[in-house]
Amino acid sequence: MTGVQTCALPISGLVVPDDISFEKWEAIGKKLKEIAKSVHFWLGDWLLEGARIFGEMYSQAIDESGFDQKILRNDLSVCSRVKKSIRKDDLSWSHHKQVAFFEPKLQKFFLDIAEKGNLSNDELRKAIKEFRENKK
């Protein structure tokens, strides 16, 4: 993690040295944004891989993980439906969640539109709503 190695990352906070350069401090912020944006994908994929590798045993680890079960179920649901090959790094978890219940071709279609049009989550929601209304 470029730029982050100059800081300590304990669970309860971020420790930044007083002599850090602005550029390194800024890089840390960018890396933290990437981490925050990625965590639900990582959790969902962690669950998928746990189920694949360990079968039913993985549910015991989930119970002991301390994560909110509703959040984990949601993460698993989205990651199991929106394959890695379709996901867009430039889009949020929420963008992907909105398209999760479509078949893969439509998922890709809407994610491509959102990425190319730089659509916010709300703008994507509106585009999906219009699509559904025009389909009726």
Side-chain angles (χ1 to χ4, degrees), residues 2 11 26 29 33-34 41 51 56 58-59 64 75 78 82 85 89 99 112 120:
T2 306
I11 291 173
E26 187 177 40
K33 182 179 180 186
E34 287 177 26
F41 291 110
E56 271 305 305
Y58 96 108
S59 62
E64 294 175 13
D75 293 349
V78 173
V82 183
S85 61
D89 288 344
V99 303
D112 284 345
S120 69

Side-chain angles (χ1 to χ4, degrees), residues 43-54:
L43 286 169
D45 289 339
W46 173 66
L47 294 168
L48 284 171
E49 291 302 307
R52 182 182 66 80
I53 296 167
F54 302 109

Side-chain angles (χ1 to χ4, degrees), residues 15-40:
V15 180
V16 180
D18 291 339
D19 62 347
I20 193 169
S21 71
F22 178 80
E23 290 77 19
K24 286 188 178 183
W25 175 83
E26 187 177 40
I28 292 167
K30 289 178 181 177
K31 184 55 68 176
L32 291 171
K33 182 179 180 186
E34 287 177 26
I35 291 168
K37 195 171 142 180
S38 303
V39 72
H40 290 287

Side-chain angles (χ1 to χ4, degrees), residues 82 85-91 95-96 99 104-119 124 127:
V82 183
S85 61
I86 294 175
R87 299 178 197 167
K88 304 284 186 184
D89 288 344
D90 294 334
L91 298 176
H95 285 91
H96 292 81
V99 303
K105 283 184 181 181
L106 274 178
Q107 290 174 358
K108 183 174 179 355
F109 172 76
F110 282 116
L111 293 174
D112 284 345
I113 287 174
E115 183 180 48
K116 289 175 184 161
N118 199 26
L119 300 183
L124 177 59

